[in-house]
Amino acid sequence: MLLPFWNSELYVEISSWFPFGKDYQPVSVNRFYGETLKNIASLSLDLESEFFFMASPDVGCVGNLPRENFFRYGADNIFHLGFLMVLGYSEKMEKAVTFSLLLSDTQAKEKKETARLYAGIASCSLGREGILQSTSRVIAIASDEPFYDCDSYLKILEFALVQSKNILKAEPLAYYAEKFGYKRFFMPWENENPYALAMSKTLSELEESSSKDIVGGSATLDFPPFLGMTVQLG
């Protein structure tokens, strides 16, 4: 794997009318959020992933999962601290996100910016009225800056997804999903490769300094401290 694991799980509460079965607008539903996020949603499907959601101070919480926020794009009475983007896991998306982080780090160094982006793999649980509906493997991208401006990174991510689609010769899955409907399903952890999971667990639990010199440090990341914080205004 190219990305480490986050040391915490994510939980998302979805609306009662969320299309768990067949979704006929997995791309166009994001047109309310702007052309860039719509393109990211489309390219994500082409890379066998999905744009689950994004939360930031300037846009609030948007994406395919929080559908109750369709018409509340932009500033409202809920202020989100920190930047978080969650995408469905696939090997193709993992490569694309890794590429986007390299581009983002290069741009930040050129501009002498201190804010950094981090990405890792996590387990994301979906709940409806407090009842667990499903658990899925995801890629979570987050910033350690509470007021991170994500506009430049979204353009970088869009570029990385386009390049990855061309290099990997990905099929135009988004076109067919939008035209004929997208049958959404979530793969539980039990379907993962048990050998790969056992190996990752062993590496993450290594404590000896001599071992770390050979295999590196922990295979997990700590969530940035501001991740997931919201403030109710007025």
Side-chain angles (χ1 to χ4, degrees):
M1 287 187 173
L2 299 174
L3 297 175
F5 288 91
W6 289 112
N7 64 355
S8 299
E9 296 184 0
L10 300 174
Y11 178 83
V12 181
E13 186 75 15
I14 57 177
S15 64
S16 59
W17 46 276
F18 177 80
F20 250 119
K22 186 171 276 192
D23 188 350
Y24 290 94
Q25 292 183 313
V27 175
S28 60
V29 75
N30 293 283
R31 66 185 181 274
F32 298 107
Y33 310 146
E35 196 65 25
T36 300
L37 283 181
K38 180 184 175 183
N39 291 339
I40 288 175
S42 176
L43 292 163
S44 296
L45 288 176
D46 291 339
L47 295 178
E48 302 173 13
S49 176
E50 184 180 2
F51 170 46
F52 282 166
F53 75 90
M54 182 185 80
S56 71
D58 55 341
V59 303
C61 187
V62 298
N64 286 4
L65 294 185
R67 301 210 164 194
E68 66 277 9
N69 295 337
F70 281 164
F71 304 102
R72 292 194 299 170
Y73 174 66
D76 53 22
N77 64 332
I78 302 294
F79 189 74
H80 296 263
L81 288 176
F83 167 74
L84 171 65
M85 174 176 274
V86 176
L87 305 162
Y89 179 83
S90 74
E91 291 185 3
K92 293 179 180 179
M93 179 58 75
E94 185 179 13
K95 293 176 181 177
V97 169
T98 302
F99 178 41
S100 73
L101 291 181
L102 291 174
L103 294 177
S104 179
D105 284 344
T106 301
Q107 185 184 82
K109 289 178 181 177
E110 291 175 351
K111 295 182 178 180
K112 298 182 178 179
E113 297 174 345
T114 57
R116 286 196 59 193
L117 282 176
Y118 303 87
I121 301 167
S123 174
C124 181
S125 298
L126 302 183
R128 179 181 289 165
E129 297 179 351
I131 301 175
L132 180 65
Q133 301 293 315
S134 183
T135 301
S136 176
R137 173 186 262 191
V138 298
I139 296 174
I141 309 167
S143 172
D144 57 359
E145 166 60 48
F147 302 104
Y148 180 76
D149 184 1
C150 62
D151 287 344
S152 61
Y153 175 69
L154 293 181
K155 293 184 175 67
I156 290 175
L157 178 60
E158 182 183 10
F159 172 79
L161 295 179
V162 170
Q163 296 301 312
S164 298
K165 177 183 176 181
N166 294 334
I167 294 173
L168 299 173
K169 298 180 180 179
E171 299 293 334
L173 301 180
Y175 169 80
Y176 297 103
E178 191 77 4
K179 188 175 182 64
F180 302 107
Y182 171 56
K183 191 172 183 180
R184 182 180 285 106
F185 73 96
F186 300 96
M187 181 179 293
W189 284 98
E190 287 77 7
N191 287 358
E192 297 290 348
N193 184 333
Y195 177 79
L197 289 178
M199 182 64 71
S200 298
K201 183 174 184 294
T202 300
L203 291 176
S204 66
E205 292 177 350
L206 286 172
E207 297 292 340
E208 297 298 327
S209 58
S210 58
S211 299
K212 290 184 179 181
D213 291 339
I214 300 175
V215 300
S218 174
T220 62
L221 286 179
D222 292 330
F223 274 119
F226 294 99
L227 186 61
M229 289 185 63
T230 60
V231 177
Q232 183 79 33
L233 303 178

